Amino acid sequence: MKVITIANVKGGVCKTTTAAVLSAGLTAKGYKVLMIDSDPQSNLTMCFMNEPTDETPTLYHVYAEGRAIDEAKIPIKLNLDIVPGDFSLCNADMQFIKAGRLKMLKKAFKELETEYDFAILDTPPNLGILSLNAFMVSDYIVVPMAADSFSLKGIRLLKQTLDEVEEETEKPVSVVGLLLTKHSDRTNVSKLLEQSINKAADMLGTTVFKSKIRQAVVLQESQIAKIDLLEYAPKAPVTADYLEFIDELLSRIGGIKA
């Protein structure tokens, strides 16, 4: 199983959208995919289902009670499952202070009985305990960058954190690429910031994906309808953008046989 985490210190950069469409796109290609919603806001969960009830096992219960991922996952459709997020995770940095707090998700992954080709992790816009647990199990990191919310300081913090994770895990964590989102070729802002984002990619030892994700209302519409973008708007230009990105991502990581 290859683990891909979608991460950025800044919010509003289409992290959740990218995680959702990537998961659906990989499933459409015949892969078996597990989504992990590590953001307490649970936006990835809400892209596919109604808010879980208090009785529904979530990622919080995996962390707080040691429940198995196989117990907490919920099937979305054939070959696509999700471990729901939970608002209770808002207090994760204060609550989870036990030894091994950085390896809770790693432990849960080791006990995973179901076989998946990919796990896709959505993370909160910070570098707290939830993001660190995600990084500890990650093979690859995708960093979405919106043209209207770029920050080199955030990239430096992310780089420093990933370096520390590599020291802890003694294995490389590859930033497979920066994905430019909310993109418009018609704006000078996008063109100017694209140069800075190339510098950010150099800082992370990676490159910017050639694929760029344009702004589109259908992204929000599909999330409200709780239908993945590929089904909701298969012919939309932004859907083509994401499909191109998925192909480029698979090319960069070598893909796997479905």
Side-chain angles (χ1 to χ4, degrees):
M1 179 174 74
K2 292 189 176 181
V3 182
I4 302 173
T5 291
I6 313 301
N8 194 317
V9 178
K10 294 187 70 66
V13 296
C14 295
K15 281 192 298 84
T16 297
T17 300
T18 298
V21 182
L22 172 58
S23 298
L26 289 172
T27 302
K29 288 181 175 292
Y31 297 110
K32 189 167 186 177
V33 180
L34 174 67
M35 298 181 288
I36 305 283
D37 190 350
S38 293
D39 190 338
Q41 296 182 69
S42 304
N43 289 333
L44 180 60
T45 302
M46 305 303 286
C47 286
F48 294 95
M49 56 184 284
N50 294 323
E51 185 175 358
T53 65
D54 291 340
E55 293 75 28
T56 303
T58 65
L59 186 61
Y60 174 80
H61 299 98
V62 173
Y63 283 160
E65 300 175 8
R67 295 203 193 185
I69 287 177
D70 285 292
E71 181 184 353
K73 71 184 182 185
I74 295 174
I76 299 301
K77 60 182 179 180
L78 182 64
N79 290 332
L80 181 62
D81 298 337
I82 188 170
V83 176
D86 193 319
F87 191 72
S88 297
L89 288 168
C90 281
N91 200 35
D93 285 334
M94 297 294 293
Q95 180 174 356
F96 305 129
I97 57 175
K98 60 187 177 182
R101 65 198 297 257
L102 297 182
K103 298 182 179 180
M104 293 184 291
L105 188 57
K106 185 176 183 179
K107 180 177 183 293
F109 268 25
K110 286 183 177 179
E111 297 171 353
L112 187 62
E113 295 182 1
T114 306
E115 292 185 0
Y116 293 93
D117 297 309
F118 289 97
I120 307 299
L121 280 64
D122 189 24
T123 55
N126 59 56
L127 296 174
I129 191 69
L130 299 175
S131 292
L132 289 173
N133 266 269
F135 296 157
M136 292 289 285
V137 300
S138 296
D139 298 304
Y140 305 101
I141 310 288
V142 173
V143 182
M145 303 291 299
D148 59 356
S149 59
F150 177 73
S151 172
L152 268 179
K153 180 180 288 188
I155 292 296
R156 291 191 188 97
L157 289 172
L158 179 60
K159 171 61 175 173
Q160 179 182 345
T161 301
L162 292 177
D163 286 346
E164 292 171 355
V165 168
E166 286 191 356
E167 290 181 11
E168 178 71 22
T169 60
E170 296 184 346
K171 76 179 184 86
V173 180
S174 171
V175 178
V176 69
L178 269 62
L179 178 65
L180 194 57
T181 63
K182 299 183 177 180
H183 182 73
S184 173
D185 288 324
R186 294 189 296 272
T187 65
N188 288 330
V189 172
S190 292
K191 293 176 182 177
L192 291 171
L193 285 180
E194 194 168 345
Q195 298 175 7
S196 297
I197 290 172
N198 284 324
K199 294 180 181 178
D202 289 340
M203 189 182 301
L204 289 170
T206 189
T207 58
V208 181
F209 283 102
K210 293 179 181 178
S211 315
K212 298 178 178 64
I213 311 301
R214 72 194 75 196
Q215 290 183 312
V217 175
V218 293
L219 293 173
Q220 289 74 36
E221 291 177 350
S222 66
Q223 292 168 2
I224 293 171
K226 303 189 186 306
I227 302 173
D228 75 69
L229 182 67
L230 277 65
E231 293 185 15
Y232 184 83
K235 296 183 179 181
V238 71
T239 304
D241 293 344
Y242 266 115
L243 290 174
E244 181 180 334
F245 156 67
I246 293 169
D247 286 340
E248 187 177 357
L249 173 62
L250 287 172
S251 176
R252 290 192 179 200
I253 67 177
I256 59 176
K257 294 181 179 179

